Structure formats: structure tokens, C-alpha cells
Amino acid sequence: MLDPIKQRFVRANSALAFPRLLGSELASGPVPRLHSFAWNLGLRAEPETPSFDIAEAIAWDDLHPLVDTYFRLVHPIFDILDQASFDQEVALRWNAGPQVADIDAVILGVAVLGSFFSIAGGHPREAEWGQQAKTLLESKITSPSATNIAAWILRSLYLRSITRPQVSWLSSARTMHLVESTGLHKDIQTIYIIIPAAPAISDPQQNLRRRLFWIARSLNTLFSYEYGRQRVNFEIITTSRPSHEPQHFSHQIIELAETLPSDVINPPDNPDPPSALLAAVKEINNMSTTSEFISLLKADVAFSIYRRLRIMGLTEAKESQADVIEVGSAAMKSAQSMLTASIPWWNVMTMPFQFVCVLLAVDTPDSLSRVADVVNFLSQIVQTYNTHMAREAYNTALLLVQLSQRRKETELGVLRGITDSAAPVEDYPVPAEDSPYLPEAGWFENLPIDWESFLNPHLVI
């Protein structure tokens, strides 16, 4: 059941829906609204919505360059806003005076991301704006709207860029729960009961509504998969995928997220998880894109799949190595370009560090030959940004390389000890050179043996 005015969605079996449905059955006159009647004793007052003046929070002259940066760098990838409508709402909001409006949290979210991507060190009030956006969103959590969902997506992107994985993952999960409460996971025409009747919705509005749902779902899926947490799933989704906008890449974000098999083992839906993961890696490798961010994201996803295959202890991990390394190598070019252009998407740091881990784990001559270039790139990040996070990642990558080196030196020492203490003995009688019993040179190469696996059993995962 959906109340399209308040944008409140519940199932028809909800305690909130029952009085309304019962009233409709009993009388033809006024009936109870969709509301949380008798939910508790009401012994405490509801928290009041804080007063807020967006014009006081952000100067008009400060906002415009930040909006321009947001729509230039973030919007082509996560196109959850209509720029013309946003500009119009901002202009109207500035003349409305002190009051709370849903668009305020969106304006703050755009300003925060615009600041993050445009100014070294950020605007002096960036952190303040982020906190104000959080306060406004928390105050609307009992009655969220589609506009609030857009603001929560912006907040999740910002948190992924500046803080710990727990925080951004929780934000993306909360966004998905709010998505359900507004009914964005269902197209309007597929909802059985709508009271009152839904107002007419244009095709662009419908497409934007769909984009909000699918991008929110994709972020939660990607954040969860990378972090190793459970994603938020709905039993039934009837919202169609949004149409593709030229020069925008949200459809590839959605495609990547939907490629990922579930971490939950469910034989009827996924009878062969390793094969599904292996197929996903190949599909990701075959996905072409002109977006540098998507190239990095492809590598993030491929590495996430490789980690799962590797920890399963299955040979599929070895089968995926070539595709994973190919995706990672292509992403390095995009990372270099973004570093040069000072575009600080989170995976400029995440991707190369994880790539070092993958290359050391694969542990073949080909993979190890690529490590030096990736470590050198991490050094460039340190020189460019010189943050604790960059220095920590670089030092940890070096430590892992040193540990790998020490292990190989230990193994080499064991083998050297054998050859130093033993010598071949003569075997009599020595067959004549033309003896039919003398094996041909390289005879062992024709044996049906996987010598790489035989000599390197740790590669058989």
C-alpha cells in the first residue's frame, strides 16, 4: 500500500494499513488515514524538526562553483539529480526564508561533494555542511521522501570518500531501508493499493525515480561486497531499470552491481557459486567503458570476486587470474590519469593497493613482474596527497612485498642447501648414444603433468 502524497509505503498486511483497509470495507464515508495508530502510549513528544536557513549556511557565491564541480565530475557517474530542476529549486529555496525543505539536504550534499572534488583541503565549512545535512536527514527519517533518498545517496558517496568502511556501508544500508519505506523499489503501476490516487508522473520523473532506486541498490551492493557484509535485499522488485542517458555512466554502475552473485549460498538460485563468480569475472573483463571511474570500479569488483574464489580454496581462483590481472592492469592507466588530474575518487587509492595484494597472492612470474609499477604508483599518490592513508597503504604494500621476498629467499635457501650438499652420481652401465633405451632430450616435457602446479603447490587454490 502506498500513500503517494506522504510517499509512505507498507505492505497490505501492515498494522498501519489495517485500520484504513477495514474502514474502507465498513463504510463509504471518511475512513482512517494510513497512519501508525496506537503504536505506543505516546508518553514522550516527537522530536521537533530543527529550524534551518540554507542561505545562511551557504553563501550564494560559494555555492555556484561547488555545484558546477559536482555536475562536472560526480553527476555523469551518479546521475540522481536533474540539473535544470535542481537549479530551479535552489533559486526558489533562496527566496523562501528560514524553513526546512527536503531540498536543503540535497543542496548541502552537492556542496560537500563539490568541495571535496574541487578545492585542495576542501572549503572551510565542508565538514559543517556535512554535519548539517546529517542532522536534516535524521530529522526526516520518520517521513522520508524521494528527495531525501537522493540526499542519502550523496551522503553515502561522501562518507565512502572520507571515512571508514563501516560508516559508508551503514549509510548505504539505511538508504535502502528508506527506499523501501518510500516504495521506490516498485513502479507505481505495480502497487496494488494506492490511497489517495497517485498524481500523474511524467516519463522523466519516472525515470529519475527508477534511477534513485537502482543507484541506491547498486551502492549498497558494491559497498557490501567490498567490505564483506550482507547487502539489503528485497523479495520483490518491480521497478524497471532506468533508461540510459548519453554521456552518463550510471547504467554501468548498475550493470556491475547486478553482475555480482549473492554471498548467501542458495542452491535453487545459485547451485554452483564458484562457476557463477568465475563467469562474473569474465563478464566484467569484457565490459567496455570510456569512464575512468568505471574502469577503477571494474577492478574493485574483480578483486572482490578473486578474494572470494581464493578463500574457497578452489581451482576457479587460478582460472580467474588472467582476467583479474587484465582488469587491474587496464585500471592502472585510469588511476594514473585521475591522479594527474587530481580527481580524488576513493578507488584511486583502493584499487592499486588491492592490486598489489592480488599480484602477490597470484605469485607467478607474470604477476610479480607487475608489482614494481603498482608500488611506484602508490609512491606517486604519497607524493601527491601525502595523507596518513596514502603513507599507510604504501608502507603496508612494501611490507607485503618484503614478506613475499623473505618467503622466496627461505624456499631458495632450502633448495640451495640440497644442491650444495649433494652431487649427482655416475650410473653404470652408461647407455650408448645410439641406444634405443636412451630417452630423447626433453622427454619429460611430454608427460601429462602440470609442472607449475607440481613445483608450486601453493598456486593450486
Side-chain angles (χ1 to χ4, degrees), residues 18-37:
F18 195 31
R20 174 85 194 194
L21 294 175
L22 182 60
S24 298
E25 293 174 8
L26 296 176
S28 59
V31 296
R33 58 197 172 104
L34 183 62
H35 181 67
S36 53
F37 293 107

Side-chain angles (χ1 to χ4, degrees), residues 91-162:
L92 291 172
R93 182 67 187 92
W94 239 258
N95 299 319
Q99 60 179 338
V100 176
D102 287 350
I103 192 63
D104 291 348
V106 175
I107 295 172
L108 291 168
V110 167
V112 162
L113 285 169
S115 170
F116 179 78
F117 280 98
S118 63
I119 305 171
H123 190 283
R125 300 187 67 181
E126 179 184 310
E128 178 186 349
W129 295 335
Q131 188 60 40
Q132 289 173 332
K134 177 185 176 183
T135 300
L136 290 173
L137 289 172
E138 293 285 354
S139 71
K140 292 287 293 181
I141 205 162
T142 58
S143 55
S145 65
T147 304
N148 295 142
I149 302 302
W152 273 106
I153 292 173
L154 297 176
R155 177 164 176 76
S156 298
L157 290 173
Y158 181 61
L159 292 174
R160 179 62 182 84
S161 301
I162 68 162

Side-chain angles (χ1 to χ4, degrees), residues 278-397:
L278 189 59
V281 170
K282 293 185 179 299
E283 186 173 344
I284 291 165
N285 190 21
N286 292 332
M287 180 191 298
S288 61
T289 184
T290 57
S291 165
E292 292 173 338
F293 176 81
I294 298 295
S295 177
L296 294 175
L297 195 61
K298 284 175 56 180
D300 290 338
V301 174
F303 298 162
S304 295
I305 294 174
Y306 175 75
R307 292 193 297 269
R308 282 160 173 77
L309 287 170
R310 188 170 186 272
I311 206 168
M312 286 178 181
L314 299 169
T315 56
E316 279 83 357
K318 185 176 179 180
E319 293 180 42
S320 71
Q321 290 173 2
D323 286 311
V324 171
I325 291 175
E326 186 174 341
V327 173
S329 297
M332 285 299 301
K333 299 175 184 177
S334 297
Q336 182 68 67
S337 176
M338 295 175 77
L339 181 66
T340 301
S342 298
I343 303 175
W345 281 111
W346 64 78
N347 39 21
V348 171
M349 183 83 260
T350 304
M351 187 283 297
F353 176 78
Q354 289 294 327
F355 197 23
V356 170
C357 297
V358 168
L359 292 172
L360 293 175
V362 171
D363 195 23
T364 63
D366 175 63
S367 72
L368 296 180
S369 69
R370 302 170 189 260
V371 172
D373 287 342
V374 186
V375 172
N376 288 336
F377 180 73
L378 291 174
S379 177
Q380 293 178 43
I381 296 177
V382 172
Q383 295 170 22
T384 301
Y385 293 109
N386 196 28
T387 61
H388 161 71
M389 194 73 74
R391 294 189 298 270
E392 180 185 58
Y394 175 70
N395 290 336
T396 303

Side-chain angles (χ1 to χ4, degrees), residues 80-296:
I80 59 172
L81 303 174
D82 177 79
Q83 186 169 4
S85 298
F86 176 80
D87 290 342
Q88 184 179 14
E89 287 191 70
V90 169
L92 291 172
R93 182 67 187 92
W94 239 258
N95 299 319
Q99 60 179 338
V100 176
D102 287 350
I103 192 63
D104 291 348
V106 175
I107 295 172
L108 291 168
V110 167
V112 162
L113 285 169
S115 170
F116 179 78
F117 280 98
S118 63
I119 305 171
H123 190 283
R125 300 187 67 181
E126 179 184 310
E128 178 186 349
W129 295 335
Q131 188 60 40
Q132 289 173 332
K134 177 185 176 183
T135 300
L136 290 173
L137 289 172
E138 293 285 354
S139 71
K140 292 287 293 181
I141 205 162
T142 58
S143 55
S145 65
T147 304
N148 295 142
I149 302 302
W152 273 106
I153 292 173
L154 297 176
R155 177 164 176 76
S156 298
L157 290 173
Y158 181 61
L159 292 174
R160 179 62 182 84
S161 301
I162 68 162
T163 190
R164 300 177 185 274
Q166 172 84 352
V167 183
S168 55
W169 171 73
L170 283 173
S171 179
S172 73
R174 173 177 275 190
T175 304
M176 286 302 291
H177 291 300
L178 295 173
V179 159
E180 182 180 18
S181 72
T182 57
L184 286 178
H185 61 304
K186 292 181 177 290
D187 275 335
I188 292 291
Q189 61 270 26
T190 67
I191 299 176
Y192 183 60
I193 302 173
I194 300 178
I195 302 174
I201 182 170
S202 65
D203 288 342
Q205 288 175 319
Q206 177 79 299
N207 200 48
L208 188 60
R209 188 177 184 274
R210 291 168 175 169
R211 194 173 293 116
L212 282 173
F213 167 71
W214 282 103
I215 291 179
R217 172 181 165 90
S218 299
L219 282 181
N220 177 246
T221 297
L222 294 169
F223 290 1
S224 301
Y225 221 75
E226 184 178 34
Y227 189 30
R229 293 287 178 84
Q230 182 61 42
R231 70 185 89 172
V232 177
N233 279 315
F234 300 143
E235 293 179 4
I236 300 175
I237 295 171
T238 61
T239 298
S240 303
R241 292 195 190 184
S243 59
H244 168 45
E245 300 290 336
Q247 306 304 315
H248 289 180
F249 300 95
S250 60
H251 67 290
Q252 293 196 310
I253 299 280
I254 297 167
E255 185 179 346
L256 275 172
E258 293 303 302
T259 297
L260 297 173
S262 173
D263 277 337
V264 178
I265 304 300
N266 187 0
D269 296 333
N270 188 11
D272 191 355
S275 295
L277 290 168
L278 189 59
V281 170
K282 293 185 179 299
E283 186 173 344
I284 291 165
N285 190 21
N286 292 332
M287 180 191 298
S288 61
T289 184
T290 57
S291 165
E292 292 173 338
F293 176 81
I294 298 295
S295 177
L296 294 175

Side-chain angles (χ1 to χ4, degrees), residues 27-75:
S28 59
V31 296
R33 58 197 172 104
L34 183 62
H35 181 67
S36 53
F37 293 107
W39 200 251
N40 53 46
L41 291 171
L43 298 178
R44 298 291 182 271
E46 292 278 354
E48 293 185 3
T49 301
S51 61
F52 185 72
D53 187 351
I54 188 67
E56 183 179 313
I58 305 181
W60 182 265
D61 291 340
D62 285 343
L63 179 63
H64 276 276
L66 303 178
V67 170
D68 290 342
T69 299
Y70 170 84
F71 278 100
R72 178 169 55 87
L73 295 178
V74 181
H75 180 68

